[in-house]
Amino acid sequence: MPTNFLTVFYYVLATALGIAFLVTAIAFSAAVFAVVFAYVFIPLLILAFIRWLWLKYQYNKQKRITFYDDK
């Protein structure tokens, strides 16, 4: 730990600025994640669900013929 007033002051200031930068970076990255999740992943999940329903409907619509061979 520093001994005189100015070095203590700069030490505390640098520590406070470093913690403030880390908190700001974490908050900003969380906000970016929330925006990307809301505008990219949720529509992709909705489209994937609609495609799954469509493929399920198409599969159920097909008539399957089963051939039995007694050879």
Side-chain angles (χ1 to χ4, degrees), residues 1-17:
M1 186 76 180
T3 54
N4 63 7
F5 175 76
L6 280 179
T7 51
V8 170
F9 176 73
Y10 289 136
Y11 180 79
V12 171
L13 182 67
T15 305
L17 288 175

Side-chain angles (χ1 to χ4, degrees), residues 19-65:
I19 292 172
F21 175 74
L22 285 176
V23 169
T24 304
I26 290 169
F28 181 74
S29 60
V32 168
F33 175 79
V35 168
V36 168
F37 187 79
Y39 288 104
V40 175
F41 292 124
I42 291 176
L44 286 177
L45 288 173
I46 292 170
L47 290 174
F49 181 69
I50 291 170
R51 182 179 181 270
W52 177 76
L53 285 177
W54 176 253
L55 290 176
K56 188 175 178 184
Y57 171 74
Q58 291 296 324
Y59 177 77
N60 288 336
K61 198 169 114 176
Q62 293 175 357
K63 305 267 185 197
R64 297 210 174 245
I65 301 172

